[in-house]
């Protein structure tokens, strides 16, 4: 009679298989720096991350070095400001700081007016855009003469679009009750729009009475320097 061959056990049920596998893992682990098995099989250990290239040093002209020193700016912030194309829209404060703005931002177009309100902003922005004068960076300085309305801000942002960057300078008008309301609305707008950035003049100017004229709103020379320097630093971030 022919003998029937005994059925073979599946490989995974053979003790010898597991013994050999354990030995391979132990030996393999000792030859690769004793790292945990799950790390050895991780994709991250197989590919080394490339170091980030160091930023190239910025060389300033003699004139730019004077600007950097006067406004307490880094070389990079100074170079960025000198190259940036900017449209600045504001009220009488913007009118007052025109010389400083042009010194730090040579390519700035300033549109300022005494007594300007927030509700003027959408139409002014639309006119500048139609004339091809709305740059990739838009600076807004309004709030001295009254608080904004959400509808005016929405109209303005619709005109600006999502590609331009908006740098919104908040307000220092301690004698007016709308100061907090204005600054809260500017902050909430920045939180909900990625291209809107707060330039926190209100915070920087606290307890700096020497920066202001007697009305506590318009700026002396030191205040104008600090104001424009803060803008350049914020835009360089």
């Amino acid at each position: 009679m022919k003998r029937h061959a005994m059925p073979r056990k599946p490989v995974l049920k053979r003790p010898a298989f597991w013994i050999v596998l354990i030995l391979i893992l132990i030996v393999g682990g000792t030859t690769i720096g004793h790292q945990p098995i799950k790390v050895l099989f991780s994709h991250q250990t197989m590919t080394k991350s490339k170091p980030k290239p160091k930023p190239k040093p910025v060389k300033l002209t003699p004139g730019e070095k004077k600007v950097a020193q006067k406004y307490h700016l880094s070389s990079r912030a100074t170079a960025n400001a000198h190259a940036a194309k900017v449209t600045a829209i504001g009220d009488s404060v913007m009118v007052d700081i025109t010389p400083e703005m042009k010194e730090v931002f040579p390519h700035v177009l300033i549109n300022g007016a005494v007594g300007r309100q927030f509700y003027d902003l959408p139409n002014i922005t639309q006119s500048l855009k139609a004339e091809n004068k709305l740059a990739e960076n838009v600076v807004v300085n309004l709030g001295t003469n009254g608080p904004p309305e959400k509808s005016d801000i929405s109209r303005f942002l619709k005109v600006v679009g999502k590609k331009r960057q908006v740098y919104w300078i908040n307000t220092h008008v301690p004698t007016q009750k709308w100061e907090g309301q204005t600054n809260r609305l500017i902050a909430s707008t920045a939180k909900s729009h990625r291209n809107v950035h707060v330039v926190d003049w209100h915070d920087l100017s606290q307890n700096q009475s020497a920066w202001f004229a007697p009305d506590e709103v318009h700026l002396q020379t030191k205040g104008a320097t600090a104001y424009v320097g803060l803008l350049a630093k914020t835009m360089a971030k």
Side-chain angles (χ1 to χ4, degrees), residues 134-148:
L134 196 62
E136 58 192 18
N137 300 293
V138 180
V139 174
V140 178
N141 144 245
L142 288 170
T144 301
N145 304 302

Side-chain angles (χ1 to χ4, degrees), residues 7-27:
R8 293 186 176 183
K9 292 182 178 181
V11 173
L12 295 178
K13 291 185 178 182
R14 296 179 191 176
F17 168 81
W18 290 105
I19 293 171
V20 172
L21 179 61
I22 291 170
L23 289 173
I24 291 172
L25 292 175
I26 292 173
V27 174

